[in-house]
Every structure is written in C-alpha cells, then in structure tokens.
Amino acid sequence: MKALDPCWDNPITKDVWVGILSELDQQVVAEPELRNFLNQFTAWVRNHLQLADGIEVTGNL
C-alpha cells in the first residue's frame, strides 16, 4: 500500500497483510511486552484471514 488514510476506511487485502505479517515477524524487538503484543496481533490477523479476504482498518490511526 502506498498510504493509509488516517480518518477513513483502509481496506487491506489478504495479499498485503501477508507482506505486513512477514515484516512484523522479522522485527527484532527487545521489549518483551512489545514482542508479546506483536505475537498476539499477528496471530489475530492470521486467524481472521482464514475466514476473510482482507481486514479493514477504520477510524483514527
């Protein structure tokens, strides 16, 4: 994706999420709390992408 709209809907397709998840998995994170958050977030996204073609991010980022 080229950009996210900070105020409106951002439909992100499954193929874009695959790239995002790959980058998040490769991030070196020293803080255990942040690593735990990223692990939970990526697990949530992967779980939902089994049922959907994408995930839409809305609201104020």
Side-chain angles (χ1 to χ4, degrees):
M1 296 191 56
K2 294 179 183 178
L4 292 176
D5 187 321
C7 296
W8 300 103
D9 301 345
N10 292 284
I12 303 174
T13 60
K14 186 182 261 186
D15 60 323
V16 174
W17 275 113
V18 169
I20 293 169
L21 293 170
S22 176
E23 288 184 33
L24 288 174
D25 288 340
Q26 294 176 34
Q27 292 297 311
V28 177
V29 179
E31 299 87 11
E33 288 183 31
L34 179 54
R35 180 76 269 161
N36 187 41
F37 170 79
L38 288 174
N39 290 343
Q40 289 180 25
F41 176 72
T42 56
W44 182 90
V45 170
R46 285 184 175 96
N47 184 46
H48 282 77
L49 288 178
Q50 291 179 10
L51 306 171
D53 294 327
I55 298 171
E56 186 168 301
V57 178
T58 61
N60 293 327
L61 301 175

